[in-house]
Amino acid sequence: MRATVTVIGFAATACAAAAVAQLPPARAPLATRGGWEAGAQVARYRYAEPGLMHLTGDRIGATGSYTVSNEIGNYGRVEMRLSYGELDYQGSGTLSNVPDQLFELRALAGKDTRVGKMIWSPYVGAGYRYLYNDLRGVSSTGAAGYRRYSGYFYLPLGVTLRVRLNDAWVLAPQFEYDAFVRGTQRTYLADTGLGFNDVSNQQRRGRGYRAQLMFEGRRWAFGPWMNYWNVKDSDLQPIGMGIGGLEPGNWTRESGVELRYRF
């Protein structure tokens, strides 16, 4: 709740500032552009439950977005991301080529504001992150794995800056804080064959950060990016035989590069 109040307060401040410093109609090429974009990503991924286990590996992904904007600088965007990797597990033994799929959907709204020779574009929105991880199989120590499904609801709060490099290219760094609202972790412990029940745990505390540095041309854009999540322990739920289970506190870090094309 505290994070949500912070997001709303910051958003109100950003909108008030934008109302004071609206852009003139002749705001291209620094303004947020409307239309469709499609992109491809490669990334290095690491997920860790400190002291318990970690998953690492390379990922490939696809992105897409649609943006609408008007002449006074208001804009809205819908973004989608798909990512896949075959990861290496280390914890109760080791296991290779673990399938890991990620889907993300976001809706954002913001305002372009001219500040000197650059444009400042604060935005707020809502996001959902879904992750499927398949650890079924037997590790090097004989431990049996299981499937996990994870869903996060969160509120993005960020800003994009745009600075003209020359007549063709714009430099666009972006910084974002993700206020964690709620997460659900579904763990299929029955996959282990040890007599435990499948369980759903609720996660209520966490935070995320994002950063990217894009070089934007008339049609193409490219640059490095980084996503980070830190989520605290979930609630405790019974899993059978008088035992309770929880999703341990964990963190995730992705870093990579992306290439986009604007239609």
Side-chain angles (χ1 to χ4, degrees), residues 74-117:
N74 299 312
Y75 68 89
R77 177 184 297 121
V78 176
E79 300 177 345
M80 185 183 71
R81 176 185 175 219
L82 296 169
S83 177
Y84 177 80
E86 293 185 354
L87 310 179
D88 295 326
Y89 165 85
Q90 185 171 346
S92 300
T94 60
L95 188 65
S96 299
N97 301 320
V98 175
D100 195 273
Q101 303 170 19
L102 190 153
F103 169 75
E104 227 172 337
L105 183 64
R106 292 151 53 92
L108 308 174
K111 175 82 173 181
D112 289 344
T113 305
R114 188 178 299 280
V115 179
K117 294 184 178 181

Side-chain angles (χ1 to χ4, degrees), residues 6-245:
T6 301
V7 168
I8 293 171
F10 190 98
T13 302
C15 291
V20 172
Q22 292 184 355
L23 288 172
R27 54 195 187 91
L30 294 181
T32 300
R33 301 184 188 179
W36 293 94
E37 285 188 324
Q41 296 179 336
V42 293
R44 185 67 178 173
Y45 178 91
R46 182 176 179 87
Y47 167 89
E49 296 172 3
L52 298 174
M53 59 86 81
H54 63 257
L55 286 160
T56 58
D58 298 322
R59 307 184 74 98
I60 59 172
T63 64
S65 68
Y66 180 70
T67 305
V68 294
S69 61
N70 62 24
E71 287 301 318
I72 62 170
N74 299 312
Y75 68 89
R77 177 184 297 121
V78 176
E79 300 177 345
M80 185 183 71
R81 176 185 175 219
L82 296 169
S83 177
Y84 177 80
E86 293 185 354
L87 310 179
D88 295 326
Y89 165 85
Q90 185 171 346
S92 300
T94 60
L95 188 65
S96 299
N97 301 320
V98 175
D100 195 273
Q101 303 170 19
L102 190 153
F103 169 75
E104 227 172 337
L105 183 64
R106 292 151 53 92
L108 308 174
K111 175 82 173 181
D112 289 344
T113 305
R114 188 178 299 280
V115 179
K117 294 184 178 181
M118 68 180 181
I119 282 185
W120 181 68
S121 302
Y123 62 86
V124 295
Y128 176 71
R129 178 182 183 270
Y130 174 84
L131 181 73
Y132 167 67
N133 178 258
D134 190 349
L135 273 164
R136 284 178 296 181
V138 179
S139 74
S140 60
T141 60
Y146 46 83
R147 293 165 292 162
R148 300 187 312 145
Y149 296 81
S150 176
Y152 296 168
F153 289 96
Y154 65 96
L155 302 177
L157 172 64
V159 63
T160 302
L161 305 176
R162 288 190 175 86
V163 181
R164 186 197 296 263
L165 296 177
N166 54 39
D167 289 342
W169 291 94
V170 170
L171 180 66
Q174 179 178 331
F175 307 95
E176 179 179 302
Y177 172 75
D178 293 322
F180 188 84
V181 177
R182 182 178 293 269
T184 299
Q185 186 80 29
R186 178 69 175 170
T187 307
Y188 286 80
L189 294 175
D191 290 343
T192 65
L194 299 176
F196 295 120
N197 301 321
D198 299 337
V199 63
S200 289
N201 295 102
Q202 298 300 309
Q203 299 160 301
R204 295 183 173 85
R205 295 184 299 139
R207 62 186 183 276
Y209 303 96
R210 296 177 182 232
Q212 66 177 15
L213 182 64
M214 300 300 292
F215 296 85
E216 300 180 346
R218 293 184 177 89
R219 291 289 184 181
W220 293 96
F222 66 92
W225 56 271
M226 184 277 294
N227 295 346
Y228 176 82
W229 280 103
N230 188 313
V231 181
K232 305 303 182 183
D233 288 351
S234 73
D235 62 2
L236 189 68
Q237 296 291 335
I239 61 174
M241 296 184 285
I243 299 174

